[in-house]
Amino acid sequence: MRIYAGVEDEWGDYTKARILLQSIPYDGTSTWGKGADQGFESFLDATDNMELYDIETDSEVYKQGVHILDPIREDSSPEAVFETVYKKTQELLKTGKYLSFFGGEHSISIGVIKAFYEHHDNLSVLQIDAHADLRPDYHGSPYNHACAVYDASQNCNLVQVGIRSMDADEKQYVQEGNCFYAHEMWGHDRWMDESIARLTDKVYLTIDLDAFDPSILAATGTPEPGGMGWYETLKYLRRVFREKEVVGFDIVELAPEKAHKASNFLAAKLYYKLLSYQFEDGK
C-alpha cells in the first residue's frame, strides 16, 4: 500500500486522516496522447521527493492526514467507469472526510461531479482547463473525455477558466458570462474577480493539467499553447479557497513522459498547494 509523501504511517492511517485521495487510472477514451492511466504513479513518485513545508501558507498540511484509497480499476467501458466512479463517490461522501481525486483522463470527473452536485445544494463547478469539454457525446458515448463537464453544465452552475480550444457546436452549451477564455485573460487579473463573482458559496474544483502552458507542463494528452502560468494560477486558487467553500477537487490528464519529469512535480506540488489552501489557518 502506498503512503502519501512517504511519511510515517500515523499521518496516513484511515481513521485519523482528514483527507482521502482516490485514484482513477483510466485512459480509455483519450483521442491523441495516451498515458493518463500512468499519471497517478508518477505523481506519487514526485510527491515522495517533495518538501512538505509550504512556505506560502507556513504550514505542513500532510499532518492533517492523507489516506490513499485503493485505485478504481474499472476500464471495461466508459459507461461502466462512470457508474463505478459515481457509486464510489456517493459512498465516500458519507465518510465526512475531505475528498480528492486523481486521474486518469478527464472523463473520470463526470461521475464524481454528479455525486457532488446531488449531495450539495446550489453547487458550482469550477473547471480550469484548456478545452471546453462540453460535447453531449463523442465517439458514441456521453462519458468521453470530451464530454467531461457537459452534464455539469446542464445540472449546476459551471464556471470555466482558461479555455482556449473548443468545437463550434459546444458554444451553445457555454453558460453566458461563465466562460473565461485564455486570450481574454491575458495581461490582467480582472478575470479573477469576475469568475469568483460567478461562483456560488460551495464549489467543486476540477483541474485538467492542460490548462497550464506546455512550457511548464508538457506531459499531458493534448497540450495547447497559450496556457496559464504557475503563480497566476496559485494566486487565483488561493482566492477561491479563501472566498468560497471548496468541497472537493480532482486533478486529471497527467500523461507522464521521461523527458518531462517537471510535469509530474508540478502535479504533485499543485495537489499539495490545494490541500494547503483548504486547511490554511486551521480550517
Side-chain angles (χ1 to χ4, degrees):
M1 186 181 79
R2 291 298 295 265
I3 299 171
Y4 180 74
V7 298
E8 297 88 346
D9 288 353
E10 64 175 300
W11 303 115
D13 178 74
Y14 177 85
T15 57
K16 297 177 182 178
R18 296 183 65 185
I19 302 150
L20 299 181
L21 172 53
Q22 176 69 71
S23 64
I24 311 167
Y26 175 67
D27 192 25
T29 75
S30 58
T31 48
W32 194 39
K34 291 286 188 179
D37 55 331
Q38 305 299 314
F40 187 63
E41 286 303 318
S42 294
F43 158 81
L44 286 183
D45 288 343
T47 301
D48 287 344
N49 291 282
M50 184 179 67
E51 299 283 4
L52 296 177
Y53 170 65
D54 182 67
I55 299 171
E56 183 184 12
T57 59
D58 187 26
S59 68
E60 295 175 293
V61 74
Y62 76 91
K63 292 180 179 178
Q64 299 289 340
V66 181
H67 179 78
I68 299 176
L69 297 163
D70 291 337
I72 295 175
R73 294 289 187 188
E74 175 62 59
D75 64 357
S76 60
S77 71
E79 290 72 22
V81 173
F82 165 76
E83 284 294 335
T84 301
V85 171
Y86 170 57
K87 291 176 181 177
K88 180 64 174 180
T89 305
Q90 287 180 311
E91 294 174 10
L92 293 175
L93 282 164
K94 297 174 184 176
T95 66
K97 295 180 183 289
Y98 193 78
L99 304 184
S100 61
F101 302 82
F102 200 98
E105 58 168 66
H106 210 168
S107 68
I108 65 98
S109 304
I110 303 173
V112 175
I113 291 171
K114 180 177 173 64
F116 267 84
Y117 73 64
E118 290 178 347
H119 186 79
H120 293 280
D121 292 334
N122 199 26
L123 182 71
S124 289
V125 172
L126 174 57
Q127 173 199 10
I128 299 179
D129 202 329
H131 305 92
D133 290 343
L134 284 171
R135 289 174 168 89
D137 61 81
Y138 194 62
H139 289 184
S141 175
Y143 305 117
N144 188 283
H145 73 105
C147 315
V149 293
Y150 172 76
D151 182 70
S153 75
Q154 301 301 297
N155 290 284
C156 55
N157 180 53
L158 173 67
V159 176
Q160 301 175 282
V161 169
I163 307 301
R164 55 194 190 277
S165 180
M166 67 189 300
D167 187 83
D169 288 342
E170 293 178 90
K171 289 174 18 179
Q172 63 188 300
Y173 304 116
V174 172
Q175 294 182 3
E176 185 176 356
N178 277 18
C179 188
F180 295 83
Y181 296 103
H183 72 279
E184 296 174 340
M185 293 162 52
W186 186 82
H188 66 89
D189 60 8
R190 293 188 304 277
W191 62 270
M192 297 188 189
D193 295 328
E194 293 166 3
S195 63
I196 290 172
R198 305 292 295 191
L199 296 168
T200 54
D201 290 340
K202 289 187 177 182
V203 175
Y204 180 83
L205 173 64
T206 179
I207 301 179
D208 187 327
L209 290 169
D210 63 25
F212 289 99
D213 192 80
S215 63
I216 62 170
L217 195 144
T220 188
T222 314
E224 294 277 353
M228 297 172 70
W230 177 245
Y231 284 110
E232 68 171 326
T233 303
L234 292 187
K235 179 181 178 181
Y236 177 61
L237 288 169
R238 194 178 191 190
R239 282 195 57 187
V240 171
F241 276 85
R242 280 180 164 176
E243 297 176 34
K244 303 296 178 179
E245 180 185 355
V246 180
V247 295
F249 67 84
D250 66 61
I251 297 174
V252 299
E253 299 280 359
L254 177 64
E257 301 175 9
K258 289 183 178 179
H260 295 290
K261 286 190 175 182
S263 297
N264 306 340
F265 206 80
L266 186 151
K269 290 284 285 190
L270 177 65
Y271 178 82
Y272 202 68
K273 280 288 189 183
L274 297 182
L275 294 184
S276 297
Y277 296 156
Q278 171 61 24
F279 291 93
E280 190 172 3
D281 301 324
K283 286 190 291 183

